[in-house]
Structures are given as structure tokens and as C-alpha cells.
Amino acid sequence: MAQTATRNFGRLSEIAQVAVRHGFGYWFDTHRLTDLFPRRGNRLDVDGQPSQRGQHLREMLDELGPTFVKFGQLLSTRPDVLPPDIIAELRGLQDDVRPFPIADVEKVIEEDLGLTIAQLFAEFDEKPVAAASIGQVHRATLPNGKQVAVKVQRPGAPRQIEADVALLYQAARIAKERVRALDFIDVQQLVDEFGRSIRHELDYRLEARNADTFHRNFAGHPHVRVPKVFWSYTRTRVLTLEWLDGIQVADLDPEHWSLEDRRDIAYLMTETWMTMIFRHGFFHGDPHPANVLVLGRPDQIGLVDFGAVGKLTDDDITKLTRMFIDAAAENVDALPRRLADLGVRYPKEREEEFLAELREIYYRYYGASLAEIDPLQVIREAFQLIYSMNLRLPSRFLLLDKAIATLGSVGVDLYPEFNVFEVARPYARGLMMERFTPQRVASRARKESLRLGAMALELPYQIHDVLEEFRDGRIEIGFVHKGLDEFLNRLDVVFNRLVVAMIVAGGLIGSSLIGIFAKAGPHLLGINVISIIGFALAGLLGIWLLWGVVRSGRL
């Protein structure tokens, strides 16, 4: 254990040196971490300027390796953690590494599928078509002649990932203890989220189920193809999908694809993701141009890489649809309410300010082509509004935000004159007609009726449980009365004064009786000494009581 901690600390020190080399030495100086990570070698000064820091952070993560690239990709979905300029840069991170040898590929396939490559496939291309940190993809042919893409996990990937996640936990602990500027972030929770995400990617059966869902959703679609999963050739470390023969959008040559063709591809991609989000509630989380293939014609696309997906409930879809329709119809005044329905929170007293800011941003860009819009500026303005208004975006929409932003940047590259509202407005009209047809309304009413019926059936049992808890004394009822404490204090003062007054009166009466009837004992000026003492004490108490009443201002 001690050796592991020492090794981790040594690796952290190496990471710190890389950070300093990429211009983040000022960060270690500012937060007084130089005692942990002493500086060595050359240093580049960035000084935290937005124009430089995002680019240098992306380059630093690229140098640190695949796990840190993936961590950067996760951070790119967290606008609540990082500012817009860094978010925009991190979205450009690509998980692309050196492929591993065919001998390791054969070993993994044989261990997982129980047969050799020669027994499983008629043909198997030894050179991978793509390689990433967790696995790589090979083209192959099944015995029945079907062309397939075989994704094979990198040997030792789970062990390496666990080591890197442990390293991130150690860095998170140091940040929590030493860096007060990060107090607003739960760094432990952030690493937990990353650990869950990357461990899911280690089980290719989860990605296969995602692909299967997309395949069903787009079955029979005239313009979108999703590869079929070959389950008998799929295990935890091996995933076999139908081969889609096409060109990555990232590799489209402008000389061979006309501007009109690229316009059609941009339209089709936008409509495809709108269908996923607003109709299926299950969307591809990374519409990067390497994950979208053009299948020979501009009206035919295919989707690949289903590791990152987002899920929305029917209620989420309904609320998103209403917001989308209002945005497309220029009903800006309704947008704050629609955002609140989605769970975005902002101070109620600042609603007018929020609306004014939204209206300004909206009309500044409405009707403009993507060529006239700086996407980084839009992102910067939108998140600046979020920060200034202390808004909170529900976590389930963070991946949706990333997908939409990535889709927008792909649209810019494909067709600079593309106007997203040309797609949005007719789509919104069709979506409204579809979501609010009598059949859909009747279907939602039936679901709500069944839900309410189930609640009604449960009600007698819930009442019975509550009554039993009352009987057993397991329910305590408490109440808080505003101003009750002050009232009790005043009542306490009144009773104290009443008791003192009674003592004074009793002392005077008792002393008088002693003076009248006591004949024996010492006398002073013909009055019994005990009676004189009683009168003196009663007089002092009376004066003290009168002084307290005068000081309170209430005679």
C-alpha cells in the first residue's frame, strides 16, 4: 500500500511538471502547492488568460494520455465546473492512440468468445480501422459473408483505468485539502462520476444494448442506418456490429462533395438528432464528425460509437418540446417559465432581468446563418448568463447540452450558410401536431389515469400504516410559533415582578403585625427591631421593583 501511494505521488509530481510546462505554473504558485510539486525544467507562462488557458489545458491532457483525455471529455459536459472558453476547447479532445498488436487481439477474442479468429471469421483485417484508449476496431467477414466491425478491448485496460482513477482520487483529496478556490466543486463526486462512466465503457455489452435500441428506433428509416448487433459474437471485451460502408463526415472532401450536398448532410444530421431528442428520448451523446458516416449519398447517413448516450423521460420530452416550439415561434417571454419547468433555478426577484438578457441574446442571433455566428461567443454569453444569475442546470441535461453544441460546430464545418431555424421551425410545427394529436393526448390521459388509480388503491394501506405508527407512538408532531419565545420571555418577567411584589407586600404586612403585637425583645424608638428590619428589606425590594419597571418604560 505504501509503495502504491509513493508511486501515485511520483506520478502526480510528473503530472505537475507537465502542467507547469504547459503554462499552469501560476496555478501551483497561487494555491501554494509548490511544496508538494517542486518545479523543474522550462516553464511557459499563461497567466490564466481565457484566450490561452483552454488551448493549453487541452494540449496538456493530450500529452498526459488517454485516461486524462477522457476525463477532459467528461469536464467538457460540466459548465457548472469550468468556464465557457475551457469547455469549448475540451470539446475538441479526441481519444486517438497507438493501436496494440494483432497477437493481443487474438488473445482477447479467444478468451472471450472461446474460439480463435480463424474459427470465428472467414476474413479478419489485422490492421485496425480505428484505435482508442480502451479498444480498437477491425474489419472482418463472418462465415455467412456478412461484413462486420469487431471492437476489441485493449489488454490491461481495466487495470490501467483503475490505477488512473485511484490517481485522480488522490489528486481530488489534495485539491479538497489545499485549494480553497475549488470549494464550490465536489471534486470527490466529480471523480466518482468519471469512474462510473469509464467503468461502463469497459463492458461492451452495455454499448451493444445502446446500439440495439438505436437500431430499433431507426428501423425502416429511409435516411438513417444504425448497425445491427451480432450478439453471438459479442461479450464483455468484444463487440461485433454490422459494417457500414461510408465516409466519416470528418473526412468529406469539399472537392468531391458540393456545397449543396454538404447542406443536405447538415440538415439530415440536425433532423436525426432532433428525432432522437424529441421523439425517442434516447440520443447519441457524441455527434462528432468521426461518429457519423455518409453512406455514398448525401441523404444517407450511418451512426457509430454508442458508448455515450443520454436518456430523457416522457415528461422531459414534453417540456423540452414546449420550450423548442416557443423558441422556434419567437415566444421569448415564455422561455423563463419553460426553463423553470425543466428544473433550471434562478432567483424569482430577478425574473425580469433574466427575461431581458434572454431576449437580447435571442434576437441578436435569430435569423443569422451559422457563418455569421461565432459559436464560442454564443457559448460564452450563454454560460456567462448562467453564472451571473446563479442558475443551476439539472445534470441529466448536461450531456444534451454537449451533444447540441457539438452538432452546431459540425454544422458550421459542413455548411457555413446553414440556418438552424430553417430546420427548427417546420420541425416544431410537425412536432406540435404530433405531440398533441387526440391519440397522443388520449394515451397520456390513459397513463395518468392508471397512475392515479394505482395511487388511489394504495391510499387505504398508507392511511392504515400512518394510524399504526400513531398507535405505536412512532410519530411525533412538533410546531414552531413565530414570536412565541418573546411572548414567553415577557410572561416570565411579569410573573417574576408579581412574585417580588407579593414578597414586598407580605414583608410590610408581617413587619406591621410584629410591631403591633410583639412586646418582648429589643426595641428601637419604641418599635420592635425585627419589625424595623422587615420594613427595611421590604422597602429595598419595593424600590428595586419600581426601578425595574421605570427602566422598562412600561408603567
Side-chain angles (χ1 to χ4, degrees):
M1 183 68 72
Q3 288 181 346
T4 301
T6 303
R7 187 164 56 249
N8 281 350
F9 189 81
R11 174 61 173 152
L12 282 174
S13 183
E14 291 177 18
I15 293 169
Q17 302 307 321
V18 174
V20 170
R21 192 162 62 249
H22 282 275
F24 294 99
Y26 74 93
W27 196 84
F28 293 97
D29 293 337
T30 302
H31 301 291
R32 300 178 181 176
L33 295 173
T34 51
D35 61 317
L36 290 176
F37 309 117
R39 186 181 300 123
R40 295 191 299 271
N42 296 330
R43 170 178 176 169
L44 171 68
D45 288 322
V46 175
D47 295 330
Q49 294 301 315
S51 60
Q52 301 179 42
R53 60 186 182 182
Q55 175 189 346
H56 285 283
L57 179 60
R58 175 173 55 78
E59 293 169 352
M60 182 190 84
L61 293 173
D62 263 330
E63 181 177 338
L64 287 173
T67 304
F68 292 89
V69 167
K70 285 191 170 293
F71 190 58
Q73 290 172 338
L74 169 70
L75 291 176
S76 74
T77 68
R78 297 297 301 269
D80 56 325
V81 172
L82 294 176
D85 60 296
I86 294 181
I87 292 284
E89 282 288 343
L90 293 184
R91 281 174 174 160
L93 283 169
Q94 285 305 298
D95 186 15
D96 189 14
V97 299
R98 187 189 303 272
F100 54 94
I102 187 63
D104 291 334
V105 174
E106 292 175 339
K107 182 179 179 182
V108 171
I109 289 178
E110 188 169 354
E111 287 177 354
D112 262 34
L113 298 178
L115 295 171
T116 65
I117 288 179
Q119 292 170 322
L120 290 165
F121 304 99
E123 295 179 11
F124 193 91
D125 192 346
E126 294 187 359
K127 184 179 180 181
V129 294
S133 57
I134 292 181
Q136 62 190 36
V137 179
H138 293 259
R139 185 172 184 172
T141 306
L142 297 180
N144 62 4
K146 289 277 188 183
Q147 297 286 308
V148 294
V150 184
K151 188 174 182 179
V152 184
Q153 190 173 111
R154 188 177 292 271
R159 184 175 63 254
Q160 181 60 49
I161 284 170
E162 290 301 330
D164 289 338
V165 170
L167 189 68
L168 288 172
Y169 274 118
Q170 188 171 354
R173 179 182 57 78
I174 293 172
K176 184 177 181 180
E177 292 173 355
R178 305 286 295 269
V179 184
R180 297 278 69 84
L182 296 179
D183 283 347
F184 76 100
I185 304 171
D186 188 342
V187 286
Q188 178 88 14
Q189 184 268 337
L190 195 62
V191 177
D192 284 341
E193 181 183 346
F194 173 68
R196 282 193 302 271
S197 171
I198 200 166
R199 286 178 185 121
H200 283 166
E201 292 188 40
L202 292 172
D203 189 349
Y204 284 169
R205 293 171 299 180
L206 298 178
E207 183 176 345
R209 283 195 284 271
N210 294 337
D212 222 17
T213 302
F214 284 117
H215 184 77
R216 288 195 305 271
N217 289 344
F218 285 99
H221 195 285
H223 304 296
V224 181
R225 283 188 61 191
V226 177
K228 174 186 174 183
V229 179
F230 290 89
W231 284 103
S232 57
Y233 288 79
T234 297
R235 296 292 186 274
T236 303
R237 297 186 296 165
V238 180
L239 169 63
T240 304
L241 300 170
E242 176 187 4
W243 178 266
L244 297 183
D245 200 2
I247 303 171
Q248 292 180 353
V249 168
D251 295 333
L252 290 179
D253 187 350
E255 293 184 3
H256 295 91
W257 294 85
S258 68
L259 197 61
E260 188 68 22
D261 288 340
R262 284 182 278 131
R263 174 186 179 277
D264 291 344
I265 295 168
Y267 268 82
L268 181 54
M269 285 183 62
T270 305
E271 289 176 356
T272 300
W273 259 264
M274 286 183 179
T275 299
M276 292 181 198
I277 294 165
F278 293 106
R279 287 198 168 96
H280 302 157
F282 188 81
F283 62 92
H284 194 300
D286 189 13
H288 190 271
N291 295 333
V292 182
L293 306 178
V294 180
L295 307 179
R297 302 183 346 221
D299 64 341
Q300 295 285 330
I301 63 172
L303 309 179
V304 295
D305 195 352
F306 308 100
V309 299
K311 300 179 180 70
L312 300 170
T313 66
D314 191 62
D315 189 47
D316 288 335
I317 297 171
T318 299
K319 291 172 179 176
L320 278 170
T321 301
R322 289 171 180 160
M323 185 178 75
F324 179 63
I325 291 169
D326 283 331
E330 302 183 63
N331 186 11
V332 186
D333 291 349
L335 292 181
R337 185 170 68 254
R338 299 305 183 207
L339 288 169
D341 289 342
L342 287 170
V344 177
R345 295 290 173 257
Y346 55 88
K348 194 68 178 175
E349 63 273 11
R350 301 182 67 185
E351 183 170 355
E352 286 302 319
E353 178 190 350
F354 181 40
L355 180 58
E357 294 284 354
L358 273 178
R359 193 182 289 116
E360 182 182 346
I361 293 174
Y362 185 88
Y363 285 118
R364 191 182 308 148
Y365 297 107
Y366 179 82
S369 69
L370 291 180
E372 300 170 316
I373 298 173
D374 177 2
L376 298 183
Q377 181 63 24
V378 176
I379 293 170
R380 196 170 296 120
E381 289 184 17
F383 287 123
Q384 187 58 45
L385 177 59
I386 288 174
Y387 297 143
S388 65
M389 296 290 297
N390 295 319
L391 305 186
R392 293 292 180 269
L393 186 67
S395 57
R396 66 185 181 279
F397 296 121
L398 294 173
L399 188 61
L400 176 61
D401 167 66
K402 180 200 173 187
I404 292 172
T406 305
L407 193 63
S409 66
V410 174
V412 171
D413 293 336
L414 278 174
Y415 182 63
E417 297 298 324
F418 173 59
N419 188 321
V420 70
F421 286 96
E422 290 181 22
V423 181
R425 298 190 74 172
Y427 191 89
R429 286 195 293 268
L431 194 63
M432 183 167 57
M433 296 296 293
E434 181 181 317
R435 294 291 295 179
F436 299 102
T437 58
Q439 293 86 350
R440 294 296 293 268
V441 172
S443 175
R444 283 199 294 274
R446 184 171 63 254
K447 289 180 182 177
E448 288 299 320
S449 299
L450 291 173
R451 191 180 302 168
L452 290 172
M455 290 170 60
L457 288 173
E458 287 290 327
L459 187 59
Y461 298 102
Q462 291 174 351
I463 294 174
H464 176 264
D465 291 342
V466 171
L467 291 176
E468 280 200 333
E469 289 184 358
F470 264 119
R471 184 194 64 191
D472 298 339
R474 286 182 290 172
I475 290 183
E476 296 181 359
I477 299 177
F479 69 93
V480 177
H481 190 291
K482 290 186 177 180
L484 186 60
D485 290 340
E486 185 180 353
F487 171 73
L488 291 175
N489 288 335
R490 291 182 181 279
L491 198 61
D492 192 37
V493 170
V494 169
F495 275 111
N496 288 340
R497 288 176 177 174
L498 184 60
V499 169
V500 173
M502 291 176 67
I503 293 172
V504 170
L508 291 173
I509 294 171
S511 299
S512 299
L513 290 175
I514 291 172
I516 294 171
F517 295 107
K519 303 298 182 182
H523 284 66
L524 180 64
L525 300 177
I527 302 173
N528 193 285
V529 172
I530 296 176
S531 178
I532 293 172
I533 294 172
F535 277 121
L537 291 174
L540 289 173
L541 284 173
I543 292 169
W544 177 70
L545 177 61
L546 180 62
W547 175 246
V549 172
V550 171
R551 282 183 56 191
S552 69
R554 294 183 177 88
L555 290 174

